[in-house]
């Protein structure tokens, strides 16, 4: 199944991508009306485990789901939201998990090749799969791209064994780990800050459940800027495959259902090119993972205004 979140009449709604061309979305709120209520969002589905997925399958096979409006909506007419908004905790991300990317990074920084590393991205950095991404030159002049396969944890756990690791995966999505390189490498080295600018990193367009992807270690990962291919790799080239990442991340630390893991990017990033390339207003970035989906985001000029947080 391909599960997504979309906006309708000012509400966030859970839907399932349907149709031979993936051009229809079953509105689970409408289908579930007068029946058992549908889960409110993707995190609710994950929390319910197999019960939640079975409920959705039942809703999908109901007569309503195939009867058209108002139960089925056209994908192109919808505003698609991040499928996890937010995920559980900050995003867990892996740096330098592809050999050629680790090598190109080392060359660009004048360093020895370093092993993969773990960092995090703030929840507030996430944005929708077709949303505009603001660039404020006062904040950063070196905005870069990173296409990645995202893994969504379905079953929580700590100290997970390799043989059990893939049973903890709920599904997969696409991530563009957009990075402010001047911030990332400034102030003594700030991966978290450089990777966490507000609304900078799109995810989506949906989450594909794990049963649809029997071999996640054989997926093409690509990215285009204004139609020009910049990255073209494959998850088979990961230094640490997904199962090992789950083992590594869970050592002494509980992975919770709904955690999003960004698994690393292949070579071809902007800062390591000769000369270096960075995104600018007007650029259109397409990020794609084979069998998962495609995102398309436009970079726009925008001053990021200071705002007072009104939380309690």
């Amino acid at each position: 199944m391909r599960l997504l979140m979309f906006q309708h009449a000012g509400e966030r709604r859970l839907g399932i991508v349907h149709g031979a061309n993936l051009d229809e979305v079953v509105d689970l709120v409408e289908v579930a009306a007068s029946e058992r209520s549908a889960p409110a969002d993707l995190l609710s589905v994950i929390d319910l485990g197999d019960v939640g997925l079975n409920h959705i399958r039942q809703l999908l096979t109901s007569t309503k789901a195939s009867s058209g409006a108002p139960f089925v909506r056209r994908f192109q007419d919808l505003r698609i939201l991040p499928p996890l908004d937010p995920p559980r905790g900050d995003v867990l991300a892996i740096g330098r998990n592809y050999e050629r990317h680790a090598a190109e990074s080392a060359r660009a920084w004048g360093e020895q090749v370093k092993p993969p590393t773990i960092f995090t991205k703030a929840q507030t950095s996430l944005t929708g799969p077709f949303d505009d991404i603001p660039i404020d030159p006062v904040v950063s002049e070196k905005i870069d791209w990173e296409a990645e396969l995202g893994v969504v944890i379905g079953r929580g756990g700590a100290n997970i064994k390799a043989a059990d690791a893939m049973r903890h995966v709920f599904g997969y999505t696409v991530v563009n780990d957009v990075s402010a390189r001047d911030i990332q490498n400034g102030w003594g080295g700030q991966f978290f800050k450089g990777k966490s600018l507000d609304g900078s990193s799109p995810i989506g367009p949906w989450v594909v459940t794990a049963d649809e992807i029997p071999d996640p270690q054989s997926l093409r990962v690509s990215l285009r800027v204004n139609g020009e291919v910049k990255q073209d790799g494959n998850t088979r080239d990961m230094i640490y495959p997904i199962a090992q990442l789950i083992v590594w991340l869970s050592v002494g630390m509980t992975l919770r259902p709904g955690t999003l893991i960004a698994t690393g990017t292949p070579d071809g990033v902007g800062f390591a090119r000769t000369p270096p390339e960075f995104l600018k207003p007007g650029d259109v970035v397409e990020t794609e993972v084979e069998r998962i989906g495609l995102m398309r985001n436009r970079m726009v000029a925008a001053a990021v205004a200071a705002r007072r947080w009104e939380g309690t």
Side-chain angles (χ1 to χ4, degrees), residues 1-288:
M1 287 189 292
R2 289 169 169 80
L3 295 153
L4 54 67
M5 296 297 298
F6 66 95
Q7 189 173 60
H8 176 72
E11 297 180 350
R12 295 171 65 247
R13 292 196 175 189
L14 176 66
I16 300 178
V17 182
H18 197 50
N21 298 317
L22 304 180
D23 55 356
E24 298 176 343
V25 175
V26 176
D27 186 335
L28 290 177
V29 171
E30 296 289 349
V31 173
S34 77
E35 301 176 10
R36 291 186 301 163
S37 61
D41 55 26
L42 189 53
L43 278 182
S44 299
V45 177
I46 293 170
D47 286 341
L48 289 169
D50 290 340
V51 172
L53 286 175
N54 288 335
H55 181 198
I56 289 176
R57 290 188 183 102
Q58 292 171 4
L59 291 173
L60 189 60
T61 57
S62 72
T63 56
K64 285 183 178 181
S66 59
S67 63
F71 310 109
V72 179
R73 306 186 185 281
R74 293 203 311 167
F75 181 85
Q76 66 184 41
D77 294 339
L78 301 174
R79 183 190 173 198
I80 308 301
L81 304 174
L84 291 168
D85 186 20
R88 284 256 160 72
D90 290 337
V91 179
L92 300 178
I94 310 299
R96 301 186 298 269
N97 195 32
Y98 288 72
E99 288 187 8
R100 289 198 296 269
H101 174 58
E104 71 176 358
S105 297
R107 287 194 302 270
W109 290 334
E111 301 175 338
Q112 295 296 315
V113 176
K114 294 180 179 179
T117 189
I118 299 170
F119 61 92
T120 54
K121 291 172 62 71
Q123 294 177 343
T124 48
S125 69
L126 302 183
T127 193
F130 306 107
D131 288 349
D132 291 345
I133 298 174
I135 292 181
D136 184 348
V138 174
V139 175
S140 172
E141 295 182 333
K142 296 183 178 181
I143 301 294
D144 203 350
W145 57 81
E146 290 193 11
E148 308 200 14
L149 172 67
V151 174
V152 180
I153 294 297
R155 289 175 50 202
N159 302 315
I160 296 169
K161 303 300 183 185
D164 298 326
M166 299 307 290
R167 298 191 186 101
H168 289 260
V169 175
F170 175 84
Y172 305 95
T173 192
V174 183
V175 178
N176 188 347
D177 180 22
V178 173
S179 307
R181 299 299 188 189
D182 38 5
I183 296 175
Q184 177 185 346
N185 298 315
W187 302 353
Q190 298 290 334
F191 263 67
F192 178 79
K193 180 70 174 177
K195 304 279 190 169
S196 294
L197 298 186
D198 284 352
S200 61
S201 288
I203 63 170
W206 43 63
V207 171
V208 181
T209 51
D211 60 298
E212 299 277 344
I213 310 294
D215 183 9
Q217 296 300 157
S218 183
L219 301 173
R220 185 181 183 186
V221 180
S222 59
L223 183 141
R224 297 176 292 277
V225 178
N226 302 326
E228 181 181 348
V229 175
K230 299 296 185 181
Q231 291 184 281
D232 191 2
N234 195 290
T235 56
R236 73 170 65 94
D237 299 325
M238 288 181 180
I239 296 172
Y240 291 112
I242 294 164
Q244 186 57 43
L245 293 179
I246 292 171
V247 170
W248 190 23
L249 289 165
S250 72
V251 171
M253 183 179 81
T254 300
L255 299 182
R256 295 186 292 168
T259 295
L260 174 62
I261 302 171
T263 57
T265 195
D267 60 309
V269 297
F271 85 94
R273 291 175 171 268
T274 305
E277 299 177 19
F278 298 105
L279 295 168
K280 60 185 183 302
D283 286 343
V284 175
V285 182
E286 295 173 298
T287 313
E288 186 170 12

Side-chain angles (χ1 to χ4, degrees), residues 269-312:
V269 297
F271 85 94
R273 291 175 171 268
T274 305
E277 299 177 19
F278 298 105
L279 295 168
K280 60 185 183 302
D283 286 343
V284 175
V285 182
E286 295 173 298
T287 313
E288 186 170 12
V289 178
E290 180 186 8
R291 300 189 62 189
I292 309 298
L294 168 72
M295 304 190 297
R296 183 177 293 107
N297 302 92
R298 182 181 56 158
M299 313 305 293
V300 298
V304 180
R307 293 181 296 177
R308 180 176 179 272
W309 184 57
E310 300 294 343
T312 57

